[in-house]
Amino acid sequence: MSHHSVEDIKSESHRLRGSLLDSLADPVTGALRESDQTLIKYHGSYQQDDRDLRDERRRQKLEPAYQFMIRTRTPGGVVTPAQWLKLDAIATRYANHSLRITTRQAFQFHGVIKRELKATMQAINAALIDTLAACGDVNRNVLVAANPLESRAHADVQAWAAKLSEHLLPNTRAYYEIWLDEERVAGSGEEEEPIYGATYLPRKFKVGFAVPPVNDVDVFANDLGFIAILEDGVLAGFNLVIGGGMGATHGDAETYPRVGNVVGFITPDQLLEVATAVVTTQRDLGNREQRKRARFKYTIDDHGLDTVVGEIERRSGVTLQPARGFRFEHNGDRYGWVEGEDGRWHLTLHLFAGRIADTAHATHLTGLREIANVHRGEFRMTANQNLVIAGVPASERERIDALVKAHGLDAGERLGTALQRAAVACVALPTCGLAMAEAERYLPDFTGRLQPLLEKHGLRDAPILLRISGCPNGCSRPYLAEIALVGKAPGRYNLMLGGDARGQRLNTLYRENIDEAAILDTLDGLFARYAGEREGGEGFGDFLHRSGVVALPSYPTHRQIVPDLYA
Ligand code: SRM
Ligand code: SF4
């Protein structure tokens, strides 16, 4: 669909209503009308079809097996045990018996059919969770560092993120009318959208809050990022980061991943004004002609960083202070129990690509249901698709541990290599309409095949960061990994190398369009060199750069590296 038509659909939609009600009521097809397929994204859902079944359905002259993905808006990925139980029931009743934790701390349901879409939306809302603005050209789910170690400051950061998420919601009542039967009132369809205006943003927009030294949210991959600066354990304010993003298109040099730029420091009371200024700057300066060039990162590169920063200061009335020192150590999760400063405990569990289901090997869905039945704290999803059972009193640890073991939720601990525990993969096939190759389903096989190579070179415990995406859109943030596979065609990937495992350096294309045998062979050779030549605690990506195996591509450094700014 051309960019122009998306802009038209938005402006003619009566504030995101379109003909969704008619589309939903049409009994003849499992699909929505085309324009409604665009609009339903703003309500947190995508029309998809099961790609595993495509050929067979075509042979039988049936329409594709249309089904819907639904994504929650869960800022910071926090849900209560009571909410967990409801989401679990929805997954079982309406979806494909699985919950999928996303790389943006949300849940996705897959496989909901049109006829049950409304009931599913109502059930989600009955759990006091909504899906409004989870997709579409608006601000998406807001990320927050997942592990509340510095409990007080972390709670403050979470509260600011939740406040910003609410602040950036669209004003339209369309969501409540369509899904929750709210009555239409005068002015319905013409609501003021003071932040977005009638055509919303040129493209999706993403916000993340990091709490150093952990960059688990990959703050530099967000359009707008906040790095919490704590002084004596208290939140002093945030470094402002703008212009990160991952998405690219194969063979199109006009598109590229980009790390965000640290442009200054703000105090918490300035946060909403500054964020609003950033969003409206993108609304007004962003490219509405070419959807592929419409993200904020391109607005910055087209207009210049100084112009954009000047615009943010002018619109907000805030003069940015010089950025304060910060230090990130890694962008992954740390598994097992940790104690927060308030004496409560947090258990991070590894999940394969965030998928929670009962399988022949393990009963993760059942296990987490049983944990939710006894747990009194909260659940926190991480931006690496893992799960924290958070806020557990010391006296309850044993009970939780027993359930974890009984249901194989400790499988991550038993994995052979550190690489397996840190790896991330996007959804890809069979649900993602854009996938060119497998990702989530391929992750266990591929990392299993790497295991003997790593063991052979004594790299079992080397914390090498691997990320797989089924296409160059980069939903697993592959361009920040030390090793990335980016899907090209079934069974074929671009091999990218040289991220820094802190989320501060993009990797580089190393081999294009190769198959598994070539990937394994290439990595085998590089693992051998790394094992023999690495210095001290040198990471794999850092080694590849020092030894000249990879170099940064020729485009400007400020798009590829975030310089250190240590306190
Ligand atoms: Fe994504 C589109 C899944 C995080 C960049 N993404 C999609 C769609 C909706 C495919 C589509 O448009 O038809 C995928 C649905 C697959 C499915 O069947 O469920 C999809 N994206 C995901 C999730 C579920 C991946 C995962 O394995 O966890 C993540 C959901 C996040 C959430 O809860 O909101 C997800 N997507 C990301 C990220 C990572 C992040 O935000 O930290 C990125 C890269 C960062 C960025 O935006 O630059 C990302 N997704 C994209 C893009 C490329 C955007 C661009 O600027 O070019 C697309 C395609 C598009 O927008 O045209 C896309
Ligand atoms: Fe789909 Fe591509 Fe995103 Fe993977 S990276 S979920 S294949 S859009």
Side-chain angles (χ1 to χ4, degrees):
M1 189 177 295
S2 79
H3 184 53
H4 201 83
S5 63
V6 175
E7 288 296 308
D8 289 345
I9 290 168
K10 285 189 276 187
S11 71
E12 290 158 15
S13 70
H14 302 285
R15 302 289 189 272
L16 309 178
R17 289 170 178 80
S19 53
L20 267 166
L21 282 172
D22 296 335
S23 267
L24 289 169
D26 181 353
V28 175
T29 165
L32 303 176
R33 294 180 190 169
E34 202 172 317
S35 57
D36 295 327
Q37 291 174 27
T38 295
L39 292 173
I40 199 170
K41 297 177 185 177
Y42 297 78
H43 301 247
S45 179
Y46 266 72
Q47 180 177 311
Q48 305 182 317
D49 71 285
D50 187 330
R51 294 180 61 181
D52 285 347
L53 304 179
R54 262 187 203 172
D55 289 346
E56 182 56 29
R57 307 259 317 174
R58 206 174 291 140
R59 259 195 297 279
Q60 296 185 18
K61 305 213 170 1
L62 294 168
E63 75 172 16
Y66 290 121
Q67 54 177 46
F68 291 80
M69 174 270 271
I70 305 177
R71 188 184 286 169
T72 62
R73 181 178 65 92
T74 31
V78 182
V79 296
T80 64
Q83 288 174 321
W84 186 283
L85 292 172
K86 293 196 169 123
L87 296 171
D88 168 278
I90 293 165
T92 312
R93 164 131 197 233
Y94 297 111
N96 66 354
H97 296 253
S98 81
L99 281 170
R100 176 57 154 66
I101 296 178
T102 73
T103 52
R104 293 195 71 78
Q105 298 179 299
F107 287 109
Q108 279 189 183
F109 299 97
H110 288 105
V112 178
I113 56 171
K114 189 176 86 171
R115 207 164 6 96
E116 298 190 331
L117 203 45
K118 185 163 169 179
T120 312
M121 289 294 217
Q122 294 190 339
I124 294 171
N125 279 271
L128 303 182
I129 291 176
D130 66 54
T131 65
L132 176 54
C135 317
D137 296 341
V138 284
N139 176 53
R140 303 294 191 84
N141 199 40
V142 175
L143 296 179
V144 184
N147 211 329
L149 280 183
E150 311 222 28
S151 317
R152 234 191 43 223
H154 187 277
D156 287 347
V157 175
Q158 170 73 36
W160 279 111
K163 210 178 276 183
L164 182 57
S165 174
E166 291 296 309
H167 180 70
L168 294 178
L169 279 180
N171 255 354
T172 170
R173 302 300 299 173
Y175 185 85
Y176 306 95
E177 284 173 19
I178 292 171
W179 308 107
L180 305 177
D181 296 328
E182 184 181 277
E183 258 181 64
R184 291 192 69 143
V185 296
S188 171
E190 294 153 33
E191 295 92 335
E192 285 295 321
E193 292 284 12
I195 296 181
Y196 290 120
T199 47
Y200 299 85
L201 296 180
R203 202 70 165 85
K204 57 175 70 165
F205 192 88
K206 299 183 172 179
V207 180
F209 287 75
V211 182
V214 181
N215 187 19
D216 58 344
V217 299
D218 266 330
V219 70
F220 304 109
N222 286 267
D223 297 88
L224 171 59
F226 297 96
I227 301 172
I229 303 295
L230 310 191
E231 286 169 4
D232 298 325
V234 177
L235 179 68
F238 301 95
N239 278 350
L240 185 69
V241 184
I242 58 172
M246 295 281 100
T249 304
H250 284 314
D252 180 353
E254 293 265 277
T255 67
Y256 44 81
R258 187 188 191 285
V259 290
N261 301 115
V262 182
V263 292
F265 172 86
I266 59 167
T267 51
D269 58 301
Q270 297 172 327
L271 182 121
L272 293 184
E273 286 304 323
V274 169
T276 307
V278 173
V279 171
T280 62
T281 298
Q282 162 64 355
R283 176 195 68 198
D284 298 338
L285 300 189
N287 186 332
R288 289 188 188 258
E289 300 300 318
Q290 253 183 303
R291 243 179 120 66
K292 280 197 173 160
R293 287 280 301 178
R295 291 295 291 273
F296 190 39
K297 59 183 175 183
Y298 304 119
T299 309
I300 292 173
D301 287 345
D302 290 346
H303 291 260
L305 188 60
D306 291 346
T307 308
V308 170
V309 170
E311 198 60 28
I312 293 165
E313 290 189 319
R314 187 179 68 74
R315 288 172 187 237
S316 64
V318 171
T319 306
L320 303 180
Q321 297 176 38
R324 307 232 170 135
F326 65 93
R327 177 193 285 272
F328 284 124
E329 285 166 6
H330 59 85
N331 59 354
D333 294 332
R334 287 296 174 267
Y335 301 105
W337 288 101
V338 290
E339 187 181 8
E341 62 184 13
D342 63 357
R344 296 191 311 160
W345 289 80
H346 314 292
L347 173 64
T348 305
L349 298 174
H350 168 273
L351 298 166
F352 268 111
R355 184 69 68 178
I356 301 169
D358 287 348
T359 66
H361 314 292
T363 44
H364 289 175
L365 192 66
T366 303
L368 287 166
R369 184 186 315 133
E370 289 185 8
I371 289 174
N373 273 320
V374 300
H375 180 40
R376 305 250 172 285
E378 58 200 15
F379 292 92
R380 286 177 172 267
M381 294 170 266
T382 82
N384 291 303
Q385 306 169 325
N386 294 309
L387 185 65
V388 187
I389 301 178
V392 179
S395 57
E396 289 291 311
R397 280 181 51 179
E398 222 171 292
R399 179 144 75 151
I400 303 271
D401 271 334
L403 288 169
V404 163
K405 287 214 168 57
H407 294 281
L409 284 159
D410 56 348
E413 274 171 48
R414 294 196 306 269
L415 283 170
T417 60
L419 177 143
Q420 282 166 309
R421 286 189 288 277
V424 178
C426 74
V427 178
L429 292 157
T431 52
C432 179
L434 305 176
M436 301 172 175
E438 297 278 352
E440 177 182 328
R441 295 196 293 199
Y442 183 45
L443 178 76
D445 296 349
F446 180 69
T447 56
R449 273 163 219 152
L450 280 183
Q451 182 172 345
L453 304 184
L454 289 160
E455 284 173 348
K456 180 172 83 181
H457 299 299
L459 297 174
R460 214 172 186 284
D461 299 318
I464 300 172
L465 177 60
L466 164 77
R467 290 176 173 174
I468 306 179
S469 274
C471 85
N473 284 315
C475 299
S476 63
R477 298 186 293 270
Y479 309 111
L480 288 166
E482 293 177 289
I483 304 173
L485 306 190
V486 177
K488 249 325 233 187
R492 302 187 76 86
Y493 299 85
N494 282 354
L495 176 62
M496 323 266 312
L497 298 174
D500 71 348
R502 298 181 302 161
Q504 291 186 211
R505 181 177 64 221
L506 293 184
N507 55 24
T508 311
L509 178 61
Y510 186 69
R511 292 275 185 274
E512 203 169 344
N513 195 18
I514 57 176
D515 65 9
E516 181 179 82
I519 296 168
L520 292 175
D521 190 50
T522 306
L523 291 177
D524 191 22
L526 293 173
F527 288 159
R529 285 193 59 185
Y530 175 53
E533 299 168 34
R534 69 183 151 160
E535 291 175 353
E538 191 175 37
F540 185 58
D542 291 342
F543 164 75
L544 296 176
H545 273 274
R546 183 178 56 78
S547 61
V549 173
V550 297
L552 289 174
S554 56
Y555 42 84
T557 313
H558 75 275
R559 284 180 4 200
Q560 307 178 64
I561 295 184
V562 182
D564 286 322
L565 188 66
Y566 293 146

